[in-house]
Amino acid sequence: MAFAPSTENRTTQSAPQQDALRIGPFTLQSRLIVGTGKYATFALMREAVEASGADMVTIAVRRVNLNRPGEESLLDYLDRKRITILPNTAGCYNAEDAIRTARLGREAGLSNLVKLEVLGDPQTLLPDTEALLIATRQLVSEGFVVMPYTNDDPIMAKKLEDAGAACVMPLAAPIGSGQGILNPLNIEFILRRVKVPVIVDAGVGTASDAAVAMELGADGVLMNTAIAEAKDPVAMATAMRLAIEAGRLARKAGRMAKRETASASSPTLGAVVGGAAVGAS
């Protein structure tokens, strides 16, 4: 079964140019990218996606019924006129399988965009970065817009950029752990090292984690479990949308300098000290 191809530039036409997130040929209004797994129902997933405000949504190619027309699919619950589909290679443990999965998604009409995952082992779900780099080079050579999920190593991030990746997606913590950003310094190193967008991916647990990622300077955040496994996924999706916006605004505003000592908020001129007003003649 082949799906109608997604229109890759539709977000370019609708997203405001000011402060837009650009990944390859795609321009996104929202800096929050969300997943579609782990929800109790497709209907709940749709509600959460809408509440998140995301205009890019990732789906595992293996979860789409490519060869069973007529069966219910999660794609039936996504507004593809508004949302850009980001196929991913979740569940692949070597470069060959990841490349094959990406090709299947494109041949089915999903997109030439791919969130590239090549995992190292099933216990940690940490990326096999050597295989990831091989797969990135191959898929870029075939015309894919590659968004690689990687570790928080700035050296590997630079290698992926040099291989042609449209962005780099370092983990905050292991997939689905909800531990937040365990190594903010490495995220900062990556931000200094590469020129392509940096999307923090995996490990976010709550809205404050998303805000921290944006305050560090990340260009966006991708998450799934933090929303899908919340007690109220729709409310959490709303919280994440607001956190992304707040963190981005705070980063652009420029935080105050940290000090070792206190600094009075109110002016001292006119304050009464020893029975006399400071500054009085």
Side-chain angles (χ1 to χ4, degrees), residues 32 34-35 37-39 48 175-180 202-210 221-240:
L32 175 60
V34 298
K38 299 186 176 181
Y39 287 94
I175 292 174
S177 68
Q179 296 186 55
V204 169
T206 190
S208 58
D209 299 332
V221 180
L222 190 152
M223 65 183 71
N224 187 122
T225 308
I227 296 176
E229 291 192 354
K231 291 181 179 179
D232 185 339
V234 176
M236 184 60 80
T238 302
M240 292 297 189

Side-chain angles (χ1 to χ4, degrees), residues 47-58:
E47 285 188 69
V49 168
E50 291 301 317
S52 75
D55 48 12
M56 179 176 281
V57 173
T58 184

Side-chain angles (χ1 to χ4, degrees), residues 4 13 74 82 105 128 162 169 213 220 227 232 236 267:
Q13 298 170 2
L74 65 86
R82 186 186 70 80
D128 179 339
D162 292 343
M169 307 180 74
I227 296 176
D232 185 339
M236 184 60 80

